Amino acid sequence: MKLTSVCAALLLACPVFSYGAEFILTDSHQDVGNWQVTSEQLGIDSPTPFSVEKQRLYGGKQAGVDIIVIKNGELEITLVPTRGMGIFNVKQDGQRVLGWDSPVKEIVNPVYIDLESRNGLGWLDGFNEMLVRCGYEWTGHPGVDDNGQLLSLHGRAQNTPASAVKVTIEEEPPYTISVQGDISERTFKKAELVTQTRFETTPGSLRFSVHDTLTNHADYDDEYQIIYHSNFGTPILEKGAQVSAPASEISPFNAYAKKGLKDWQTYLGPTKDFDEMVFNLKPLADKQGNSLAVLHNSVANKGVAVKFNVEQLPVLTLWKNTDTEKQGYVTGLEPGTSYAYNTKYQRPLGLVPTIKAGQSKHFDVTYQLLDNSSDVKQALKIVDDIQGGNPVKQVEEPIVDLNNVSD
Amino acid sequence: MKLTSVCAALLLACPVFSYGAEFILTDSHQDVGNWQVTSEQLGIDSPTPFSVEKQRLYGGKQAGVDIIVIKNGELEITLVPTRGMGIFNVKQDGQRVLGWDSPVKEIVNPVYIDLESRNGLGWLDGFNEMLVRCGYEWTGHPGVDDNGQLLSLHGRAQNTPASAVKVTIEEEPPYTISVQGDISERTFKKAELVTQTRFETTPGSLRFSVHDTLTNHADYDDEYQIIYHSNFGTPILEKGAQVSAPASEISPFNAYAKKGLKDWQTYLGPTKDFDEMVFNLKPLADKQGNSLAVLHNSVANKGVAVKFNVEQLPVLTLWKNTDTEKQGYVTGLEPGTSYAYNTKYQRPLGLVPTIKAGQSKHFDVTYQLLDNSSDVKQALKIVDDIQGGNPVKQVEEPIVDLNNVSD
Amino acid sequence: MKLTSVCAALLLACPVFSYGAEFILTDSHQDVGNWQVTSEQLGIDSPTPFSVEKQRLYGGKQAGVDIIVIKNGELEITLVPTRGMGIFNVKQDGQRVLGWDSPVKEIVNPVYIDLESRNGLGWLDGFNEMLVRCGYEWTGHPGVDDNGQLLSLHGRAQNTPASAVKVTIEEEPPYTISVQGDISERTFKKAELVTQTRFETTPGSLRFSVHDTLTNHADYDDEYQIIYHSNFGTPILEKGAQVSAPASEISPFNAYAKKGLKDWQTYLGPTKDFDEMVFNLKPLADKQGNSLAVLHNSVANKGVAVKFNVEQLPVLTLWKNTDTEKQGYVTGLEPGTSYAYNTKYQRPLGLVPTIKAGQSKHFDVTYQLLDNSSDVKQALKIVDDIQGGNPVKQVEEPIVDLNNVSD
């Protein structure tokens, strides 16, 4: 069978299965270094040629960072195994279409990040991805938890290098391309949470998805939290851009966001001193639990749809950071188990779920680039159908009173 | 002479001495990478063939970790130079005989560990070895010292990568195999403590030892503390396993351990919600100062003996962590200068010794695998002989009242 | 043209300009590894042959550190790109002439340093260079700033690995050798400060200099601070060594330094329990703003002159650490925007300058080895000329009362 010889030629550990070939990029005893595989090499006669490439970065705080670039023929998607299998950005025709321009320019190796620095804000030293997993031990803003422990901003997953990284390519149409990697949060007496992340796309598609399985390997139940912090700047975000998401209710995250509540669906252009406004949404879903958040540009011919399931991820945070371009002009559509408050504020809200000893939890999030009016319209129709003409209740007061709590 | 040509063939820096050959694995200007030497290559006609191998690990938080595997013909011992020359585990016939199953599965590179995280508990992110050196600036539980500085759990030595790593093999019987590495704790105005660690075993032996020399390179006297945190799980630890150690006195570490005082010598099987019980022992020794702690399984045909000298290491901590298997079913026999309390509680007890300017302190700890009833019996007889029929005084109250102190 | 073929032969990315050749040592997609270029290879017929070499270090906490050694024919200067482009030391005829003997012996990789450890003193784990840049977000002693954030000792620049490292050699006399590297302090919502550092020397010279350009890439004004912590031990520092610097005023940093105020210009030999005395100077300058601090040995035939501009660096800290040799017998001549107090104490003094959005600030510091009496005399004459016979006002009380503030 042809894949066998390809594997041998590439000198890779690649067991050939009936469904395709699996390439081990990193396990505990090897790392392939710079590496590439193409549909041509695999002898796959895909109508859309594709490739997967692993590169190592150098210099400054990105020294030693590995990236995996998946070119599916339409999109060029960059994953960062060294940073928790995050998605750095997505390009089309050489232009960034999904992602944003952070003031942080390097793809920062976690070895240079001290999460507890700046009172738990060290995560900000590396924040520049389109998709950041905030979890899984905790997910929210920094603060001292009820047990006296400082929980650093957005958890540790994104600053944990992945182990057991592998690429799988199916040999039959649609030739699904998968990239897996494990994020291990294991601390003696504290946590035994391991997340098997899986990225998936197919050649020629404008869609890609993550399918993550969090397993509690402990003999004890544990808390967990996750926010899929999905961030978009230009070219979709602009003055007059709009966000739509089926919801029963929206409320401001804090006092500052109250003044933006009424206009939550529209965006300002880059605005000095805007800083950030955050809103908490209670998403609605279809019968299968699927919900969709859609962001599109002002003329509604470019956008992105984020699909998630409310059984897995029951809440949605909307982060509007429409400050100046250099400050990071960006918005986040963030499905999660929880909002962005510190864990201690979410326990009373029932937003700190339990994962039982030995249990696994699955999270599926799909991103679709909407690159014409018709696609945008179609996505918005799904939102409308789920909303079903019901109003989104605007709650004026934050559900957590941050002014009356000690942080 | 034959060793010269072996060195040349292996392209190694290996000065040949009259007593054997020395292989520099890492110094400031080179690292041999993956490397191996065997008794056959050395032309040593040992009745038991042996080998020493250095491997680099990859993936996740163990990326960049070096291990050194010594196969002495009976035992396969894994050292971790990247983690303070700790001993990961010991195998016999391919099975782990000494060591334990920690929830932490990776051999974690210190670059991913923030010792001061979780209020000084960051050490727990990497704890899974059979031998952990807890020291040498401080050794105990985390807490703010009298000078206002947070002392993180169990010191910094184990999360300090070794420098000047070398392997020495004697050319004459018993062909002693040594592995040396320096652990440097140097901080401007704070410490100039360097520990030259030396691991030793001989081909065909069930015994191995560490011989460490701590030197205070400063012009000022300094405090130091060390615990040789020696940890054993299955197959020795099991329901009905027993520990024996000659002692004048035993007391519970804290209030929780009081209820286990009477049964300190026997072990429960894996027990949910057991957590850990810790006991402080005052060990007795023979005329040379040698003491022995013995752990054996329920039928007393498998065990381990830990030999130490009370002139060097005057106290013994017994750590019973017989919680569930996945939580880390393990016990620690821990000779030390000090117990596991924070330094500030041990100063008044006289358990924070001084090392004078320029002075060196030696620590020798020998581990012997006991793999039949007769060996176990013999070890227990040594314990009995030292104990000399005197009772072990059971002190009901902890020597430090942790309930009445602010941590 | 000859440089082109040299570049090709060395397999380097080296665009050849009209003025010379540029060698990229590290950018985001490559690192040349161990590398060397010599005047001979370049076909440069310099009266003084020269070379630039990049080496990687191994073992312990210096694993992975890159150094760049510039041999200009007179001096051998070691830069450390991995540590913020600091200058480790300077040798002449194989002997260290500038620099000092720190208790910290390794050139420590920042991945092993936790700046916030020991209440913000983690920087001390790596302090051993002749030139340390203390900045640029903040520069002084550790302490909690007005906004509640712990500012760690001497900022983050020195523990930030440089990106975009390149060597430029001019093809025409004086064949100036430059080494550039960028120090990036970028944190989402906190800082967008990038410093392009440039080191310069010429073949046969006893002089070298740094020319740094700090740029605020943000859309917002920011604070910045910098101290060029320039440190000298033996052979210049010794009993009877002297420091001279034109100044309008000198005051003790703290109560302890008061007793040394009168004798601020002379040095003790290594003195047990001396610890450190720090003095704050208000430097005087010539019409171009240039000032000069001179340190010389007791017989005034060896010394170093540090030239800086008071428009860029308006204050001068004198750090006298004439404790024992092993403790680090050293003095610092430290031109800066600020003294060594925590930022919160310097704001009221007007010593925390602002860098506007998009603005750049330049800093030029030149070091000259004085290797005979005549050179020392000439340097002292410059100091005298600037001083112009005016007295240095000795202010008895520290400008910040550290005894009456909560730290």
Side-chain angles (χ1 to χ4, degrees):
Chain A
M1 175 175 170
K2 61 187 178 293
L3 286 177
T4 315
S5 55
V6 171
C7 290
L10 294 175
L11 287 172
L12 294 166
C14 56
V16 175
F17 300 104
S18 57
Y19 58 79
E22 186 179 284
F23 302 92
I24 310 290
L25 302 195
T26 311
D27 65 17
S28 61
H29 280 78
Q30 63 178 341
D31 184 293
V32 293
N34 288 343
W35 171 88
Q36 192 182 28
V37 70
T38 66
S39 51
E40 199 183 7
Q41 284 174 314
L42 291 171
I44 288 179
D45 190 25
S46 166
T48 321
F50 60 88
S51 66
V52 182
E53 185 177 358
K54 173 161 175 277
Q55 298 167 14
R56 176 149 291 187
L57 302 183
Y58 298 94
K61 292 196 281 188
Q62 69 186 8
V65 167
D66 288 328
I67 58 173
I68 296 175
V69 180
I70 298 110
K71 297 184 181 173
N72 77 1
E74 274 292 334
L75 301 179
E76 177 182 331
I77 304 144
T78 297
L79 305 184
V80 191
T82 309
R83 291 183 52 80
M85 299 299 292
I87 300 176
F88 180 60
N89 70 17
V90 178
K91 292 181 179 176
Q92 190 184 36
D93 300 329
Q95 301 297 313
R96 202 259 329 277
V97 287
L98 302 178
W100 59 294
D101 295 316
S102 169
V104 176
K105 302 303 180 193
E106 298 176 307
I107 300 181
V108 179
N109 196 323
V111 300
Y112 297 112
I113 287 183
D114 173 5
L115 290 174
E116 294 202 359
S117 66
R118 300 186 198 258
N119 304 336
L121 290 176
W123 183 91
L124 297 172
D125 281 353
F127 176 44
N128 59 12
E129 292 102 333
M130 190 216 92
L131 169 62
V132 177
R133 288 176 182 84
C134 303
Y136 289 83
E137 265 198 88
W138 62 84
T139 198
H141 283 190
V144 176
D145 200 2
D146 298 325
N147 66 359
Q149 183 188 325
L150 175 64
L151 304 183
S152 63
L153 177 61
H154 288 330
R156 314 208 300 172
Q158 191 77 355
N159 286 282
T160 302
S163 53
V165 179
K166 64 183 180 185
V167 172
T168 308
I169 294 167
E170 288 182 7
E171 209 180 3
E172 301 298 326
Y175 308 114
T176 301
I177 305 162
S178 303
V179 184
Q180 276 190 203
D182 289 356
I183 305 305
S184 185
E185 295 178 81
R186 288 177 169 276
T187 305
F188 185 66
K189 287 198 186 293
K190 297 290 175 184
E192 296 182 56
L193 299 177
V194 179
T195 305
Q196 186 185 75
T197 71
R198 186 158 53 88
F199 167 90
E200 249 185 50
T201 190
T202 54
S205 174
L206 294 179
R207 199 179 292 202
F208 55 92
S209 52
V210 294
H211 304 278
D212 298 344
T213 302
L214 166 69
T215 301
N216 176 12
H217 288 274
D219 282 319
Y220 295 93
D221 299 353
D222 200 355
E223 292 179 345
Y224 75 100
Q225 293 186 290
I226 175 66
I227 293 175
Y228 284 86
H229 204 306
S230 312
N231 312 299
F232 310 99
T234 59
I236 299 175
L237 186 64
E238 62 184 359
K239 184 179 175 183
Q242 296 217 32
V243 64
S244 294
S248 60
E249 190 178 303
I250 184 170
S251 59
F253 180 82
N254 56 15
Y256 176 59
K258 287 164 74 166
K259 68 175 94 156
L261 180 61
K262 208 179 121 195
D263 304 321
W264 71 272
Q265 285 197 273
T266 60
Y267 287 91
L268 298 175
T271 304
K272 210 165 176 192
D273 295 320
F274 182 87
D275 199 2
E276 60 181 30
M277 278 192 192
V278 179
F279 301 95
N280 298 332
L281 281 81
K282 294 188 179 171
L284 295 171
D286 66 16
K287 285 176 185 169
Q288 287 72 44
N290 292 317
S291 189
L292 198 73
V294 176
L295 174 76
H296 64 77
N297 66 350
S298 64
V299 297
N301 64 1
K302 259 187 216 130
V304 62
V306 182
K307 183 181 161 190
F308 60 99
N309 191 293
V310 297
E311 305 293 325
Q312 302 171 345
L313 303 166
V315 304
L316 180 68
T317 292
L318 174 62
W319 174 54
K320 298 172 84 171
N321 195 76
T322 51
D323 205 290
T324 73
E325 287 182 25
K326 287 178 182 164
Q327 191 75 354
Y329 179 68
V330 60
T331 187
L333 313 185
E334 312 176 12
T337 58
S338 316
Y339 294 121
Y341 298 110
N342 187 270
T343 300
K344 69 182 161 195
Y345 304 135
Q346 302 210 60
R347 274 195 206 91
L349 301 173
L351 293 175
V352 184
T354 293
I355 182 165
K356 291 189 182 301
Q359 194 183 10
S360 289
K361 298 276 185 182
H362 302 282
F363 308 102
D364 306 278
V365 183
T366 300
Y367 300 89
Q368 179 164 8
L369 178 69
L370 310 168
D371 73 345
N372 57 54
S373 313
S374 153
D375 284 0
V376 170
K377 223 171 269 174
Q378 203 177 332
L380 291 176
K381 180 162 187 323
I382 295 173
V383 174
D384 283 350
D385 286 351
I386 296 174
Q387 189 71 44
N390 300 306
V392 181
K393 182 179 170 197
Q394 295 192 355
V395 175
E396 304 265 327
E397 289 301 318
I399 56 176
V400 172
D401 184 357
L402 293 169
N403 298 313
N404 276 346
V405 290
S406 63
D407 206 18
Chain B
M1 168 172 180
K2 62 184 178 290
L3 285 177
T4 315
S5 54
V6 172
C7 290
L10 294 175
L11 288 174
L12 294 167
C14 58
V16 175
F17 301 104
S18 58
Y19 57 79
E22 186 179 284
F23 302 92
I24 310 289
L25 303 196
T26 309
D27 66 15
S28 62
H29 279 79
Q30 63 178 342
D31 185 291
V32 295
N34 288 342
W35 172 88
Q36 193 183 26
V37 70
T38 66
S39 52
E40 197 184 8
Q41 284 174 316
L42 292 169
I44 288 178
D45 190 22
S46 165
T48 320
F50 60 87
S51 66
V52 182
E53 184 177 2
K54 173 161 174 279
Q55 299 167 12
R56 175 147 294 185
L57 302 183
Y58 297 93
K61 292 196 282 189
Q62 70 185 8
V65 167
D66 287 330
I67 59 173
I68 296 176
V69 180
I70 298 108
K71 296 183 182 174
N72 78 0
E74 275 292 336
L75 301 179
E76 177 182 331
I77 303 144
T78 297
L79 305 183
V80 191
T82 310
R83 290 182 54 79
M85 298 299 292
I87 301 176
F88 180 60
N89 70 18
V90 179
K91 292 180 179 177
Q92 189 183 34
D93 300 327
Q95 300 298 313
R96 202 261 326 281
V97 286
L98 302 179
W100 58 296
D101 295 314
S102 169
V104 176
K105 302 304 178 191
E106 298 176 306
I107 300 181
V108 179
N109 197 322
V111 300
Y112 297 113
I113 286 183
D114 173 5
L115 290 173
E116 295 202 0
S117 66
R118 300 186 197 256
N119 303 336
L121 290 175
W123 183 91
L124 297 173
D125 281 351
F127 176 44
N128 59 12
E129 291 101 335
M130 189 216 92
L131 169 62
V132 177
R133 287 175 183 84
C134 302
Y136 288 88
E137 265 199 87
W138 63 83
T139 197
H141 283 189
V144 175
D145 199 3
D146 298 326
N147 66 0
Q149 183 189 322
L150 175 65
L151 304 182
S152 62
L153 176 61
H154 288 329
R156 313 209 301 172
Q158 191 78 353
N159 286 282
T160 302
S163 55
V165 179
K166 63 183 180 188
V167 172
T168 309
I169 294 167
E170 288 182 6
E171 209 180 3
E172 301 298 325
Y175 308 115
T176 302
I177 305 163
S178 304
V179 184
Q180 276 189 202
D182 290 356
I183 305 305
S184 185
E185 296 178 81
R186 288 177 169 277
T187 304
F188 185 66
K189 288 198 185 294
K190 298 289 173 184
E192 296 183 57
L193 300 177
V194 180
T195 305
Q196 187 186 74
T197 71
R198 185 158 53 87
F199 167 91
E200 250 185 50
T201 191
T202 53
S205 174
L206 294 179
R207 199 179 292 203
F208 55 93
S209 53
V210 295
H211 305 276
D212 299 342
T213 303
L214 167 70
T215 301
N216 177 11
H217 290 274
D219 282 319
Y220 295 93
D221 299 352
D222 200 356
E223 293 179 344
Y224 75 99
Q225 293 185 291
I226 175 68
I227 293 174
Y228 285 84
H229 205 307
S230 311
N231 312 300
F232 310 100
T234 59
I236 300 175
L237 186 63
E238 61 183 0
K239 184 177 175 185
Q242 295 216 34
V243 64
S244 293
S248 60
E249 188 178 306
I250 184 169
S251 59
F253 181 83
N254 56 15
Y256 176 59
K258 288 164 74 167
K259 69 177 94 155
L261 179 61
K262 208 180 122 196
D263 304 320
W264 71 273
Q265 286 197 272
T266 59
Y267 287 92
L268 298 176
T271 304
K272 207 160 178 198
D273 294 319
F274 183 87
D275 199 2
E276 60 181 31
M277 278 192 191
V278 180
F279 300 95
N280 300 331
L281 281 81
K282 295 188 179 172
L284 294 171
D286 66 16
K287 283 175 186 169
Q288 286 72 44
N290 292 318
S291 190
L292 198 73
V294 176
L295 175 76
H296 63 77
N297 66 351
S298 63
V299 296
N301 64 0
K302 258 188 216 130
V304 61
V306 182
K307 183 181 162 191
F308 60 98
N309 192 293
V310 297
E311 305 293 325
Q312 303 170 347
L313 304 166
V315 304
L316 180 69
T317 293
L318 173 63
W319 174 56
K320 297 172 84 170
N321 195 75
T322 51
D323 206 290
T324 73
E325 287 183 25
K326 287 180 182 163
Q327 190 76 354
Y329 179 69
V330 60
T331 187
L333 313 185
E334 314 177 13
T337 58
S338 316
Y339 294 122
Y341 298 110
N342 188 269
T343 300
K344 68 182 162 195
Y345 304 134
Q346 302 210 59
R347 275 195 205 90
L349 302 174
L351 293 175
V352 184
T354 293
I355 182 165
K356 290 191 181 302
Q359 195 184 8
S360 288
K361 298 277 184 182
H362 302 281
F363 309 102
D364 306 279
V365 183
T366 300
Y367 300 89
Q368 179 164 8
L369 179 69
L370 311 169
D371 71 347
N372 56 55
S373 312
S374 153
D375 284 1
V376 170
K377 222 171 270 176
Q378 203 178 330
L380 291 176
K381 178 162 189 324
I382 296 173
V383 174
D384 283 350
D385 287 351
I386 297 174
Q387 189 70 44
N390 298 306
V392 181
K393 182 179 169 196
Q394 294 192 356
V395 175
E396 303 265 328
E397 288 302 316
I399 56 177
V400 172
D401 183 358
L402 292 170
N403 298 314
N404 275 346
V405 293
S406 64
D407 207 22
Chain C
M1 172 172 177
K2 61 184 178 289
L3 285 176
T4 315
S5 54
V6 171
C7 291
L10 294 175
L11 286 173
L12 294 165
C14 58
V16 176
F17 301 105
S18 58
Y19 56 80
E22 186 180 284
F23 301 91
I24 310 288
L25 302 196
T26 310
D27 66 16
S28 61
H29 281 79
Q30 63 178 341
D31 184 291
V32 294
N34 288 343
W35 170 89
Q36 192 182 28
V37 69
T38 66
S39 52
E40 197 184 8
Q41 283 174 314
L42 292 169
I44 289 177
D45 190 24
S46 165
T48 321
F50 60 87
S51 65
V52 182
E53 183 177 1
K54 173 163 175 275
Q55 298 167 13
R56 175 148 294 186
L57 303 182
Y58 297 93
K61 292 196 282 189
Q62 69 186 7
V65 167
D66 288 329
I67 59 173
I68 297 175
V69 180
I70 298 110
K71 297 183 180 173
N72 77 1
E74 275 290 335
L75 301 179
E76 177 182 331
I77 304 144
T78 298
L79 306 183
V80 191
T82 310
R83 291 183 53 80
M85 297 301 291
I87 300 176
F88 180 62
N89 70 18
V90 179
K91 293 180 177 176
Q92 190 184 34
D93 300 328
Q95 301 297 312
R96 202 263 324 280
V97 286
L98 302 178
W100 58 296
D101 295 315
S102 169
V104 176
K105 301 303 179 192
E106 298 175 307
I107 301 181
V108 180
N109 196 323
V111 299
Y112 297 112
I113 287 182
D114 173 6
L115 290 172
E116 295 201 0
S117 65
R118 299 185 197 259
N119 304 335
L121 291 176
W123 183 91
L124 297 172
D125 281 353
F127 176 45
N128 59 12
E129 292 101 334
M130 189 215 94
L131 169 61
V132 177
R133 288 174 181 86
C134 303
Y136 289 85
E137 264 198 87
W138 63 85
T139 197
H141 283 191
V144 176
D145 200 1
D146 298 327
N147 67 359
Q149 184 189 323
L150 174 65
L151 304 182
S152 62
L153 175 62
H154 288 329
R156 315 208 300 172
Q158 193 77 355
N159 285 283
T160 301
S163 54
V165 179
K166 64 185 180 185
V167 172
T168 308
I169 294 167
E170 288 183 7
E171 208 178 4
E172 301 298 324
Y175 308 113
T176 302
I177 304 163
S178 305
V179 184
Q180 276 190 203
D182 290 355
I183 305 306
S184 185
E185 294 179 81
R186 290 177 168 276
T187 304
F188 186 66
K189 288 199 184 291
K190 298 289 176 186
E192 297 182 56
L193 300 177
V194 179
T195 305
Q196 186 184 75
T197 72
R198 185 157 53 87
F199 167 91
E200 248 185 53
T201 191
T202 55
S205 174
L206 294 178
R207 196 178 295 201
F208 56 93
S209 53
V210 294
H211 305 277
D212 299 342
T213 302
L214 166 69
T215 301
N216 177 11
H217 289 275
D219 282 319
Y220 296 92
D221 299 353
D222 200 356
E223 294 178 344
Y224 75 100
Q225 292 185 293
I226 175 69
I227 292 173
Y228 285 85
H229 205 307
S230 312
N231 312 300
F232 309 101
T234 59
I236 299 175
L237 186 65
E238 60 183 1
K239 184 179 176 182
Q242 295 217 31
V243 64
S244 293
S248 59
E249 189 179 306
I250 185 170
S251 59
F253 181 82
N254 55 17
Y256 175 62
K258 288 164 74 167
K259 68 177 94 156
L261 179 61
K262 210 179 120 194
D263 304 320
W264 71 272
Q265 287 197 273
T266 59
Y267 287 91
L268 299 175
T271 304
K272 207 160 178 196
D273 294 320
F274 183 88
D275 198 5
E276 60 181 31
M277 278 191 191
V278 180
F279 300 95
N280 300 330
L281 281 82
K282 294 187 179 174
L284 294 170
D286 66 16
K287 283 176 186 169
Q288 286 74 44
N290 292 319
S291 190
L292 199 73
V294 176
L295 174 77
H296 64 78
N297 65 351
S298 64
V299 296
N301 64 0
K302 256 187 218 129
V304 62
V306 182
K307 183 180 160 191
F308 60 98
N309 193 292
V310 297
E311 305 293 326
Q312 301 169 348
L313 302 166
V315 304
L316 180 68
T317 293
L318 174 62
W319 174 56
K320 298 172 84 170
N321 195 75
T322 52
D323 206 290
T324 74
E325 287 182 27
K326 287 179 183 164
Q327 190 77 353
Y329 179 68
V330 59
T331 186
L333 314 184
E334 311 176 14
T337 58
S338 316
Y339 293 122
Y341 298 110
N342 188 269
T343 300
K344 68 183 163 196
Y345 305 134
Q346 303 209 61
R347 275 195 205 91
L349 303 173
L351 292 175
V352 185
T354 293
I355 182 165
K356 289 190 182 300
Q359 195 183 8
S360 288
K361 298 277 184 182
H362 302 282
F363 308 102
D364 306 278
V365 182
T366 299
Y367 300 89
Q368 180 164 9
L369 178 69
L370 311 169
D371 72 347
N372 56 55
S373 314
S374 153
D375 283 0
V376 170
K377 222 171 269 175
Q378 202 177 332
L380 291 175
K381 182 167 186 319
I382 295 173
V383 173
D384 283 349
D385 286 351
I386 296 174
Q387 189 71 43
N390 298 306
V392 181
K393 182 181 171 194
Q394 294 191 357
V395 176
E396 303 265 329
E397 288 302 318
I399 56 176
V400 171
D401 184 357
L402 292 170
N403 299 313
N404 277 345
V405 290
S406 63
D407 205 18

